[in-house]
Amino acid sequence: MTLKQQKLDITDRVIGRLENGEIKLFLENEPIGKMTLPQGCVFQLEHHFEANEQKIFQHVTVTEQPAARYTDCDEGGWC
């Protein structure tokens, strides 16, 4: 039996994670490399996302105080 080296195209399986000014590249959770982002690089994000200091933020609407209930289901109350 003879072993032969082959080159596989895995491009569509590679995931990038932004971390400390770099994009760390992974294949199925295995680190395979990184790309360094230049200072002042521009992110093009959807309208409810924002980039600031090499971090990405999502704008969301959250409830500040949960609705008050007379009794709680976890304490044997009616639900």
Side-chain angles (χ1 to χ4, degrees), residues 1 7-11 16 29 34 40-41 46-47 52 54 61 64 66-67 72:
M1 176 181 356
K7 181 169 51 172
L8 299 175
D9 183 359
I10 60 163
T11 306
N29 291 322
K34 65 182 178 180
C41 68
E46 297 294 326
H47 73 279
N52 188 4
Q54 302 281 344
T61 303
E64 287 188 14
D72 192 344

Side-chain angles (χ1 to χ4, degrees), residues 9-79:
D9 183 359
I10 60 163
T11 306
D12 61 343
R13 297 172 39 208
V14 174
I15 304 260
R17 296 183 188 145
L18 185 61
E19 187 177 309
N20 299 325
E22 298 177 331
I23 297 176
K24 301 213 174 176
L25 303 173
F26 294 85
L27 176 64
E28 299 173 1
N29 291 322
E30 178 185 350
I32 62 169
K34 65 182 178 180
M35 296 171 47
T36 302
L37 297 174
Q39 286 293 337
C41 68
V42 177
F43 291 90
Q44 295 179 348
L45 303 172
E46 297 294 326
H47 73 279
H48 54 283
F49 294 93
E50 172 187 345
N52 188 4
E53 297 181 11
Q54 302 281 344
K55 294 186 183 231
I56 298 175
F57 300 91
Q58 180 181 15
H59 295 275
V60 296
T61 303
V62 296
T63 304
E64 287 188 14
Q65 295 178 354
R69 293 182 276 177
Y70 176 72
T71 185
D72 192 344
C73 295
D74 294 340
E75 296 175 5
W78 290 7
C79 296

